[in-house]
Amino acid sequence: MRLLVFGATGQLAVALRASAPDALFLNRDAADLTAPETCAAAIHAAKPSVVINAAAYTAVDRAEEEEALATVINAAAPGAMARACAEASIPFLHVSTDYVFDGGGQRPWRPEDPTSPLNAYGRSKAAGEAAVRAAGGPHAILRTSWVFSATGRNFVTAMLELARKRDQLNVVDDQIGAPTSARAIGEALLKMAEAMIAGQGGGTYHFAGAPFVSWKSFARETFACSGQKVTVCGIPTSEYPTAAQRPLNSRLDCTSLEAEFGIRPPDWRVELAAVVEELI
């Protein structure tokens, strides 16, 4: 498999590099997502057998002020990648987010459910999905949620940092979803890529950890793994205002991914223990 990955230093790209060290990873110097034509040119030059887009604009709150930039990176660039892959008849795998949904109800979101994002970041990612589908080539869109790893800034690293300064934290407990390790996402993408090269699968899928949990419970499990003595108090979203509105229901139905690729939701608690051990 001649794998080309857009992204080099983000959580997912780092995880993919650990599992697929022979792949070609493109950083901003090699392919600037703010200039989508460079992404298409990179695909034509590399002649890969499959492409994974592991790069994105992920600053959810800042996107409220930079929606145009977020849309170029999260929609125009993936669209250019997907069109280049379609022209070469090679599979394109693109990572999306639970934030394309409005978070209503309590039922897990299915891949075929209509999207209705609440914030600029979600709108940019929904536009990216549409651009990938419109390209018309073999593709897979993998929506995931609450990504964590030992790399970069994420909920787990933020909690461990705060615990060094405070012994009590207020954490939102009415947003429900599933933490998902970057390592598990990377492994899922690689398995999907192999299958798609062989002509299997394609479309929109969900992949997230299990079981469902609140941010408060996620924080408590993080501290249980680290051995830090921190009291975590649950608060409603209304008491933790942010620039971007977050969905309350981020549950994802992952059954179609398991049915088509044999990939089951991983136990995020096992993944978390490994990440915390690496961090401390």
Side-chain angles (χ1 to χ4, degrees), residues 26-179:
L26 300 183
N27 59 21
R28 292 176 185 174
D29 292 335
D32 183 357
L33 271 67
T34 65
E37 66 278 3
T38 67
C39 301
I43 292 171
H44 291 309
K47 295 181 172 57
S49 57
V50 62
V51 175
I52 295 175
N53 179 28
Y57 181 111
T58 58
V60 176
D61 289 317
R62 193 166 70 237
E64 295 299 306
E65 298 179 354
E66 297 181 345
E67 185 166 0
L69 175 61
T71 303
V72 170
I73 294 172
N74 289 345
M81 297 173 198
R83 289 190 294 274
C85 288
E87 292 168 4
S89 298
I90 59 175
F92 176 63
L93 286 80
H94 176 64
V95 180
S96 192
T97 173
D98 58 298
Y99 279 25
V100 299
F101 298 115
D102 64 13
Q106 296 184 341
R107 173 181 65 79
W109 295 98
R110 303 185 185 104
E112 65 272 18
D113 286 334
T115 59
S116 182
L118 299 175
N119 54 49
Y121 168 72
R123 288 190 292 272
S124 74
K125 294 296 286 185
E129 292 185 6
V132 170
R133 296 187 190 102
H139 70 274
I141 295 167
L142 188 67
R143 295 185 184 129
T144 189
S145 64
W146 299 16
V147 182
F148 69 93
S149 71
T151 302
R153 181 79 173 176
N154 58 72
F155 183 80
V156 173
T157 58
M159 288 297 103
L160 295 179
E161 181 179 335
L162 284 171
R164 299 188 191 102
K165 307 170 186 176
R166 300 162 61 181
D167 57 10
Q168 181 171 316
L169 295 172
N170 294 330
V171 181
V172 169
D173 68 353
D174 59 353
Q175 294 177 29
I176 308 299

Side-chain angles (χ1 to χ4, degrees), residues 6-15 17 25-28 54-55 149 151-152:
F6 285 91
T9 59
Q11 293 187 84
L12 181 52
V14 170
R17 190 185 296 275
F25 290 82
L26 300 183
N27 59 21
R28 292 176 185 174
S149 71
T151 302

